[in-house]
């Protein structure tokens, strides 16, 4: 089965961690939307666990860098939103188990 560009972007996002939480941002439910445009442009709309997150800039930069490192990607647009606000219910079941929320 061929891996799509979206699959590769999701795989890359699974390698980005909030330094304060031992779970990747994808499983935490911080990634709200991924759009792959025709020319290899990738848009990621994401949030953070808290608006005042001290590592916001470094997480956003890491997401941008990892997307740009994917073959076939010509550009990355990483946007931050707090609408809707993140809640623990947005995490995958595995993430909630790992963090002791179940």
């Amino acid at each position: 089965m061929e891996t799509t560009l979206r699959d590769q972007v999701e795989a890359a996002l699974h390698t980005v961690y909030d330094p304060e939480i031992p779970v990747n941002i994808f499983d935490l439910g911080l990634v709200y939307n991924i759009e792959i445009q025709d020319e290899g442009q990738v848009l990621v709309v994401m949030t953070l666990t808290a608006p005042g997150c001290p590592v916001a800039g470094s997480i956003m930069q890491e997401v941008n860098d990892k997307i740009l490192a994917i073959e076939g990607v010509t550009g990355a647009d990483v946007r931050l939103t707090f609408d809707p606000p993140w809640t623990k219910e947005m995490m995958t079941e595995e993430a909630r188990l790992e963090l002791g929320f179940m």
Side-chain angles (χ1 to χ4, degrees):
M1 187 169 88
E2 188 177 326
T3 306
T4 66
L5 191 52
R6 182 185 175 88
D7 293 335
Q8 293 176 61
V9 169
E10 285 186 18
L13 295 176
H14 276 92
T15 68
V16 179
Y17 288 80
D18 181 323
E20 299 172 343
I21 305 171
V23 176
N24 69 71
I25 64 169
F26 199 87
D27 288 341
L28 278 174
L30 299 180
V31 178
Y32 287 173
N33 188 34
I34 299 169
E35 286 182 26
I36 311 295
Q37 277 118 21
D38 293 341
E39 298 80 37
Q41 288 281 338
V42 177
L43 167 66
V44 173
V45 178
M46 61 176 288
T47 193
L48 300 168
T49 55
C53 181
V55 294
S58 62
I59 289 175
M60 304 287 289
Q61 188 63 52
E62 185 177 355
V63 168
N64 187 72
D65 294 347
K66 288 194 174 181
I67 291 170
L68 288 174
I70 299 168
E71 188 175 339
V73 170
T74 58
D77 182 1
V78 182
R79 298 182 191 172
L80 186 62
T81 185
F82 291 102
D83 183 28
W86 178 84
T87 65
K88 292 178 179 127
E89 289 72 35
M90 294 175 171
M91 290 190 280
T92 63
E93 190 173 315
E94 294 149 336
R96 287 194 299 260
L97 274 171
E98 188 168 331
L99 296 174
F101 293 131
M102 290 183 79

